[in-house]
Amino acid sequence: MKNYYPVTIVFLVFLFSSFKVDKACEYAGSNINYVKTQTEKAITKDDINIARYYTYKAMNAIEKSKDQLKECGCEYAAESIAQGLFNLKLATKATSLNSTRILLNRALENTLGGLESLEEHELHNSKYGSDLLAMNTVVSDKELISLKKPGKKEF
């Protein structure tokens, strides 16, 4: 009887612990947070060369997190981050500090949008909080009709 208690406890620990299968979104979010901090550092610098240094660090972090974003599958975040990368590249080519800061602020907005998209990734494709609620629902005919594009007769 004493031999069964440790085995039962180990079994219950594995049964009731929460395992998260998808770590790609978490890793991508961590990398995008790093991009955000590097972009913020670049904005605060008064020397254009130091601002470019932090901008390049942010660009490298985005390049390294592309595979994780692809594995995560959040298209909204990937699109925002791609736009942020474009703005970061433009910021490295800018000749004045003010134009660099404008482009860095745009890149920061895109990065923050990407972070929000990653946080709300599970809510993108469903009307409900999760797909578990949407499994047993049926779309009514009235809703399908209301979504249809009106023809000439309806106008």
Side-chain angles (χ1 to χ4, degrees):
M1 192 71 166
K2 289 183 180 182
N3 292 337
Y4 292 119
Y5 286 121
V7 174
T8 305
I9 290 173
V10 169
F11 177 72
L12 289 175
V13 166
F14 281 113
L15 183 67
F16 291 114
S17 63
S18 64
F19 294 103
K20 201 161 196 179
V21 179
D22 189 20
K23 294 279 186 184
C25 291
E26 287 182 28
Y27 291 142
S30 174
N31 286 345
I32 301 308
N33 271 324
Y34 179 75
V35 170
K36 181 187 85 149
T37 58
Q38 296 304 311
T39 307
E40 288 171 343
K41 285 181 184 179
I43 291 171
T44 61
K45 299 303 174 189
D46 291 330
D47 185 14
I48 193 167
N49 291 324
I50 297 173
R52 285 182 182 160
Y53 170 74
Y54 286 111
T55 304
Y56 280 119
K57 287 178 77 171
M59 289 170 52
N60 285 335
I62 289 175
E63 290 295 333
K64 289 179 182 178
S65 66
K66 280 187 176 180
D67 292 335
Q68 294 166 347
L69 280 171
K70 190 183 290 185
E71 284 180 32
C72 179
C74 185
E75 296 171 7
Y76 298 107
E79 187 176 315
S80 293
I81 298 303
Q83 187 64 35
L85 179 62
F86 178 73
N87 285 324
L88 287 172
K89 286 179 182 178
L90 289 178
T92 59
K93 296 176 184 176
T95 56
S96 70
L97 187 61
N98 288 334
S99 59
T100 301
R101 283 186 178 156
I102 290 170
L103 291 166
L104 287 172
N105 280 321
R106 287 182 190 168
L108 183 62
E109 289 175 11
N110 292 329
T111 304
L112 292 174
L115 278 173
E116 288 178 19
S117 295
L118 280 175
E119 289 173 1
E120 299 172 355
H121 174 62
E122 293 181 6
L123 304 175
H124 289 314
N125 295 329
S126 178
K127 284 198 264 184
Y128 307 102
S130 69
D131 288 334
L132 294 175
L133 291 174
M135 279 178 38
N136 295 326
T137 59
V138 177
V139 178
S140 68
D141 292 334
K142 290 180 183 178
E143 187 175 343
L144 288 175
I145 291 171
S146 67
L147 295 176
K148 194 166 72 171
K149 187 175 180 180
K152 291 182 180 180
K153 290 182 181 179
E154 284 87 13
F155 278 130

